[in-house]
Amino acid sequence: MRLLRCLAWLLVAPVILLAFAWESGALYYDGPIKALAAVQAVAMLAVFVFVRGWRRKLGIFGAWFVLVLGWWLTLKPSNDRNWQPDV
């Protein structure tokens, strides 16, 4: 049983790391405040350190991921930026 748990963790950990990296990048590049990505990183680290139970940890992380993804999908492109002349 312990071996299965370790194998499951080895499969889930890269997915969590990729999702975390995407969240941080989305908040850094498209977020209203650049520091929001750092705050998110510290908050998620605190969740994984201080919250008990893997189901709760993954539930909180999943809820935050869905929230950031939902926000990111509502962003609208704009053409009123300072473009270079050749673009």
Side-chain angles (χ1 to χ4, degrees):
M1 190 61 155
R2 186 166 173 88
L3 179 64
L4 288 175
R5 188 176 296 173
C6 289
L7 288 175
W9 176 243
L10 286 175
L11 293 174
V12 171
V15 173
I16 291 172
L17 289 174
L18 285 173
F20 178 74
W22 180 86
E23 287 174 353
S24 297
L27 289 172
Y28 182 78
Y29 289 109
D30 292 330
I33 303 169
K34 300 288 185 202
L36 191 58
V39 170
Q40 179 256 344
V42 171
M44 285 298 112
L45 181 62
V47 164
F48 278 99
V49 170
F50 295 114
V51 173
R52 290 184 178 226
W54 284 104
R55 289 183 184 163
R56 283 187 183 170
K57 291 176 184 184
L58 291 178
I60 292 169
F61 181 80
W64 179 249
F65 179 78
V66 168
L67 185 69
V68 171
L69 180 64
W71 161 78
W72 188 76
L73 290 174
T74 63
L75 294 177
K76 303 285 185 212
S78 67
N79 287 329
D80 59 354
R81 299 218 169 111
N82 187 11
W83 295 95
Q84 294 180 358
D86 61 337
V87 177

